[in-house]
Amino acid sequence: MNADDSVRQFLPKASLEALIAALRDQGYTVLGPRERDGVIALREVHAAADLAHGMHDEQAPGHYRLTADDDQLYFNYVLGADGPKRYLFPAQQRVVQLHVEGQRFVMDAASPAPPKLAFLGVRACELAAIAVQDRVFGADDPRTFRCEAELSYCETRRNAFFVAVNCTRPGGTCFCVSMGTGPKAERGYDLALTELRAGFVVEIGSERGREVAAQLPLRLPTEAELELADIKLAQARHSMGRTLQTDGLRTTLARNIEHPRWDQVAKRCLSCGNCTMVCPTCFCSTVVDSSALDGGSVTRTRLWESCFTHQFSYAHPGPVRHSIRGRYRQWLRHKLSTWWDQFGSSGCVGCGRCITWCPVGIDITEEACAIAATPSQSNSPFAEAWEGEGEAEAAGEVPR
Amino acid sequence: MVSGASEQSGPPARPKLAVYKFSSCDGCQLSLLNLEDELLDLVEAVEIAYFLEARRRVLPPPYDIGLVEGSISTPEEAERIHQIRRDCKFLVAIGACATSGGLQALRNWADVREFTRAVYANPEYIRTLDTASPIAAYTFVDFELRGCPVNAQQLLELLTAVLMGREPKVPRHSVCLECKRRGLPCVLVSNGEPCLGPVTQAGCGALCPGCNRACYGCFGPMEQPNIRSLGRWFSERQERSPRTLKRLMRSYNGYLEPFKQEGDRYEQIEQGQE
């Protein structure tokens, strides 16, 4: 591909162990793909034997199965429901704890130091999703004041080491090529691996990556190995499970607030929130306060929240988005359209998780495509307001 | 707000707690007793005034908080609940039986007299109602806590909230949110199980999916459940029969809407097929 061949190295397969050991020696908790109850999950790995290998995942809308596959390949599957989000932005996190002393509330000890995590086997779409969350949580701009939970994200994020794995066999619900995020990791990694049967073609993405690489038994790859890696990645680009036509989509979705397709998908959508839980860019949370039985202490806990619950949009008269139609529409339009206005990028990275893990197999690419195919222009009282934005986008301007 | 202050001198009296049993298995009362780590704090915070499963001593009413387990299934129960309502300032129905009629509400679709004739040697001694009903069908309840049995931590949150005079934090969304927060594999997507998690109210902490089992809906319907869509998926993709779907709906909360409506609909489809 377009990488400078002079910096590409080769790590023999048996030396994956050395990579894990090197990371652990540097004090990292290594997190990698492990098989758990028939699903690839991101969990701590102590040795290469812990990693899921010789497996293949079959993914389709509302469908996921792991099957036995080429025993010599580690990363012949793509993503499970889990991703780095679980560790950078934990699903449940104590924000603050107070206890009563005399007539006052006193804050308990501060949060523990942020963990030092190394993600092994993270995919290009995940790195793109982390870049999106960086913008959301302000990790890309340390001058901005952020609250407690976001500080926790930023600190964990800064400490984290990423060993990317380029996808050579995309899954049935993948569409990273459409979203411009994969299948090859272009940035955001410390080390990137492309798996061949004999080992990995290694690219170094950062100074930290170079330091770890220096401890590995790397050799120069042969021309055949580099060519094979390039062919595998080129093939991957052409075997995406799904495509999404993104040209003009942002404007089309902005204008089609009252499209009949929203009613059709609302009949299928369960409003269960699975898509938001597995989405690597979804960042919504809620805080729950709890108190001890004697009233002597209170705890505030932050939990992953979903825009598919009533509580999410609850205001004084009740939930603002009181219908499933309204909630699905808000979610899809946020991902593919209004995210641009809010954060200057797409909120979708094409990982396909929301399609696979929807219990009734609703496909974001199919829904967006259905609206783009039959746009019903200007049937919304708000349509006028979007006209200017559409022109800006057409001119290649991205408002921030 | 439940006040524990006493007009008499001396230390302030603790709020009085009463726990009642109607037609039920005692599992929800056991959930309270299973709060082993918190039980000592609990008896510090409230006075156990009436709880026959836990202690013999009974203090006279009125009580500040009343917890009612079980459904109303006999003529005596239908009478007794009214006195309990008068005795308790804040009355909570706990568990699937008390909030939906429970498993025994399956009789509501059948002839209960036929059952008694089949089961008992002398059915004439059995005094029972034709239906098993939730407490709220007979009297006003201040709060309903779902589950079969109720979740002990939710029960504790309820008691804490009532004692503090704040709203109990009881989520109404799907089980899926709890399941995904825990990072559990989805038994529906990855194993083809008919899991009711996407239409069932959270609160259990995704107990069954955590044991690699499908949710069977013991916390009852979530807010605005789309049961029709999930049922269509089970029928078309998992090839489940209308009879299976009817039985999925008609379990611990089968008589609670909209589970009841969907269960009845599958029964009609099933009968249409015969």
Side-chain angles (χ1 to χ4, degrees):
Chain A
M1 309 287 282
N2 51 9
D4 178 1
D5 280 357
S6 65
V7 302
R8 290 204 274 181
Q9 309 266 337
F10 193 84
L11 181 74
K13 189 118 314 167
S15 302
L16 189 61
E17 201 73 80
L19 173 60
I20 295 171
L23 291 168
R24 285 169 60 82
D25 283 349
Q26 292 204 5
Y28 287 106
T29 300
V30 182
L31 301 162
R34 298 187 68 157
E35 193 263 328
R36 191 189 165 201
D37 295 324
V39 175
I40 297 295
L42 192 57
R43 294 288 184 274
E44 185 172 1
V45 289
H46 299 92
D50 292 339
L51 292 167
H53 72 282
M55 285 175 194
H56 170 102
D57 54 356
E58 183 185 301
Q59 298 201 36
H63 176 91
Y64 182 100
R65 293 290 184 281
L66 269 184
T67 51
D69 197 51
D70 192 335
D71 200 35
Q72 291 188 38
L73 293 176
Y74 276 99
F75 303 103
N76 210 24
Y77 41 78
V78 282
L79 307 163
D82 251 359
K85 179 171 94 165
R86 173 167 304 285
Y87 298 93
L88 299 174
F89 178 59
Q92 180 169 346
Q93 196 170 26
R94 200 178 75 187
V95 179
V96 67
Q97 191 164 3
L98 308 168
H99 67 275
V100 177
E101 261 181 40
Q103 296 294 307
R104 309 175 51 218
F105 272 116
V106 177
M107 196 183 289
D108 291 356
S111 317
K116 199 175 165 188
L117 305 174
F119 294 93
L120 174 59
V122 62
R123 306 303 173 116
C125 58
E126 302 253 52
L127 291 171
I130 290 166
V132 171
Q133 287 213 326
D134 283 352
R135 284 192 288 279
V136 171
F137 291 134
D140 61 344
D141 181 9
R143 290 164 302 174
T144 320
F145 172 77
R146 300 287 160 177
C147 74
E148 180 89 7
E150 291 160 344
L151 270 180
S152 154
Y153 173 90
C154 294
E155 287 173 359
T156 313
R157 168 75 179 85
R158 268 194 285 278
N159 281 348
F161 190 99
F162 294 99
V163 183
V165 164
N166 294 321
C167 286
T168 48
R169 194 201 63 82
T173 55
C174 289
F175 57 105
C176 61
V177 166
S178 301
M179 305 314 290
T181 58
K184 184 179 186 306
E186 302 288 356
R187 63 190 69 82
Y189 59 84
D190 297 293
L191 292 173
L193 312 177
T194 306
E195 184 172 28
L196 306 178
R197 292 175 73 84
F200 304 92
V201 173
V202 181
E203 284 159 84
I204 295 164
S206 72
E207 201 44 50
R208 278 197 296 194
R210 196 175 305 282
E211 284 166 23
V212 170
Q215 299 171 40
L216 302 178
L218 294 172
R219 64 165 168 81
L220 284 176
T222 64
E223 249 175 63
E225 282 163 349
L226 290 180
E227 197 180 335
L228 184 57
D230 289 347
I231 290 171
K232 284 185 122 186
L233 286 169
Q235 275 179 343
R237 292 189 68 82
H238 293 105
S239 50
M240 288 287 132
R242 298 229 153 356
T243 55
L244 180 64
Q245 183 54 254
T246 53
D247 290 343
L249 187 60
R250 177 186 170 196
T251 320
T252 309
L253 290 172
R255 285 178 183 163
N256 284 271
I257 299 175
E258 299 299 333
H259 197 280
R261 185 73 183 192
W262 302 122
D263 296 299
Q264 291 163 25
V265 71
K267 287 202 176 84
R268 294 175 65 203
C269 176
L270 306 173
S271 202
C272 60
N274 274 300
C275 47
T276 58
M277 295 287 112
V278 298
C279 177
T281 66
C282 271
F283 58 85
C284 285
S285 63
T286 185
V287 286
V288 177
D289 292 340
S290 60
S291 46
L293 205 53
D294 63 358
S297 66
V298 289
T299 309
R300 174 165 290 185
T301 309
R302 188 184 52 69
L303 295 169
W304 283 355
E305 173 63 307
S306 169
C307 51
F308 283 92
T309 71
H310 277 180
Q311 178 66 36
F312 183 84
S313 71
Y314 197 93
H316 61 91
V320 174
R321 284 186 282 272
H322 52 82
S323 66
I324 293 181
R325 174 184 186 267
R327 293 196 287 277
Y328 185 84
R329 180 177 66 180
Q330 133 74 23
W331 177 75
L332 186 139
R333 289 177 73 249
H334 191 207
K335 287 289 153 196
L336 297 173
S337 179
T338 55
W339 203 289
W340 283 99
D341 306 312
Q342 199 178 1
F343 301 112
S345 75
S346 167
C348 174
V349 295
C351 72
R353 280 194 180 98
C354 59
I355 307 173
T356 299
W357 299 98
C358 173
V360 292
I362 297 174
D363 182 342
I364 186 173
T365 64
E366 194 182 317
E367 297 310 311
C369 173
I371 286 167
T374 55
S376 51
Q377 300 284 347
S378 302
N379 62 350
S380 150
F382 305 108
E384 296 292 315
W386 296 101
E387 299 294 326
E389 305 249 342
E391 284 154 20
E393 189 192 26
E397 295 165 25
V398 179
R400 279 219 61 162
Chain B
M1 172 87 196
V2 176
S3 166
S6 165
E7 286 171 16
Q8 294 164 356
S9 57
R14 289 163 292 163
K16 286 182 183 167
L17 176 72
V19 183
Y20 302 96
K21 172 186 162 62
F22 280 66
S23 292
S24 57
C25 75
D26 291 40
C28 293
Q29 296 182 73
L30 279 176
S31 293
L32 187 59
L33 292 173
N34 280 344
L35 280 167
E36 288 171 9
D37 293 337
E38 294 89 2
L39 216 48
L40 288 176
D41 288 338
L42 186 64
V43 295
E44 287 275 307
V46 296
E47 181 152 44
I48 309 287
Y50 181 99
F51 188 1
L52 297 184
E53 183 154 308
R55 74 188 304 178
R56 196 173 297 163
R57 189 194 67 173
V58 172
L59 298 177
Y63 308 123
D64 296 286
I65 308 169
L67 305 178
V68 185
E69 172 202 271
S71 68
I72 294 183
S73 309
T74 68
E76 289 76 17
E77 287 174 339
E79 280 302 308
R80 189 174 153 233
I81 191 62
H82 295 295
Q83 185 57 46
I84 288 171
R85 176 68 267 191
R86 284 191 287 273
D87 289 347
C88 297
K89 293 177 189 168
F90 194 90
L91 191 66
V92 186
I94 60 165
C97 299
T99 57
S100 79
L103 205 55
Q104 59 271 31
L106 286 172
R107 71 157 74 158
N108 300 3
W109 283 278
D111 180 359
V112 72
R113 260 150 264 286
E114 202 177 301
F115 287 166
T116 55
R117 279 196 298 275
V119 173
Y120 299 102
N122 300 96
E124 61 274 20
Y125 293 115
I126 304 297
R127 277 171 40 82
T128 185
L129 296 171
D130 288 340
T131 55
S133 307
I135 302 300
Y138 284 80
T139 191
F140 174 78
V141 293
D142 296 279
F143 202 82
E144 288 189 326
L145 200 60
R146 302 259 196 89
C148 184
V150 287
N151 174 282
Q153 290 307 316
Q154 278 205 331
L155 195 54
L156 194 66
E157 160 62 14
L158 172 89
L159 291 170
T160 309
V162 174
L163 290 171
M164 303 269 295
R166 64 168 171 83
E167 187 82 2
K169 303 277 194 313
V170 174
R172 304 290 177 196
H173 55 65
S174 71
V175 173
C176 300
L177 258 58
E178 290 187 325
C179 197
K180 286 288 187 289
R181 282 176 190 150
R182 283 185 63 188
L184 299 173
C186 176
V187 296
L188 199 166
V189 170
S190 67
N191 212 14
E193 297 281 341
C195 181
L196 289 182
V199 295
T200 300
Q201 181 172 300
C204 60
L207 195 59
C208 293
C211 302
N212 220 353
R213 298 287 298 268
C215 165
Y216 49 81
C218 80
F219 272 63
M222 65 180 268
E223 58 189 16
Q224 232 176 3
N226 191 346
I227 306 167
R228 189 75 55 99
S229 171
L230 188 65
R232 197 180 303 126
W233 186 268
F234 289 164
S235 136
E236 289 171 7
R237 299 305 183 100
Q238 299 184 357
E239 297 176 351
R240 311 275 170 188
S241 66
R243 180 177 168 78
T244 303
L245 296 175
K246 178 190 81 176
R247 296 180 73 155
L248 265 178
M249 284 294 114
R250 286 187 188 170
S251 64
Y252 301 84
N253 291 282
Y255 214 66
L256 192 59
E257 295 292 4
F259 279 9
K260 176 176 180 294
Q261 192 187 340
E262 285 303 296
D264 289 349
R265 201 176 67 87
Y266 289 119
E267 184 172 65
Q268 282 173 10
I269 297 170
E270 181 193 6
Q271 286 165 353
Q273 284 178 343
E274 280 167 4

